[in-house]
Amino acid sequence: MGKFDAGVPNAGIYKMYDASDDVVCYILMPDLPVTKKIPQGVMYEGNSIGAISCLKVRVHVVPISGR
C-alpha cells in the first residue's frame, strides 16, 4: 500500500494490507534484497534490519435502533 522513510540508508517501512483478515502490517526491511549466485540458482543473504507490526483496522459498528 505504501512506503515510508525508515531513517536509515537503503531501508524503508512498507505498509501491507491483508483484506481477508482486515489487518495492516508495517514492515521495516531493506529496499533491495542481497543475493548471491550459487550452483542451484540464487540465494538470499541475511540482513541486520527488520521488524513487523500488525493491527486490525476495521471495526464493525452495530447501529443503535430507535433513533
Side-chain angles (χ1 to χ4, degrees):
M1 295 181 68
K3 178 188 174 202
F4 307 93
D5 182 30
V8 294
N10 303 317
I13 299 171
Y14 293 85
K15 182 179 180 181
M16 311 279 183
Y17 176 61
D18 180 354
S20 65
D21 292 324
D22 294 327
V23 171
V24 169
C25 293
Y26 294 89
I27 305 166
L28 171 63
M29 64 184 200
D31 289 331
L32 296 172
V34 178
T35 60
K36 166 169 108 173
K37 291 190 185 241
I38 59 173
Q40 298 84 358
V42 175
M43 180 175 78
Y44 290 89
E45 294 189 353
N47 64 69
S48 62
I49 187 169
I52 185 169
S53 181
C54 299
L55 58 134
K56 189 92 166 159
V57 293
R58 207 172 267 171
V59 177
H60 299 285
V61 178
V62 178
I64 299 173
S65 61
R67 283 200 162 181

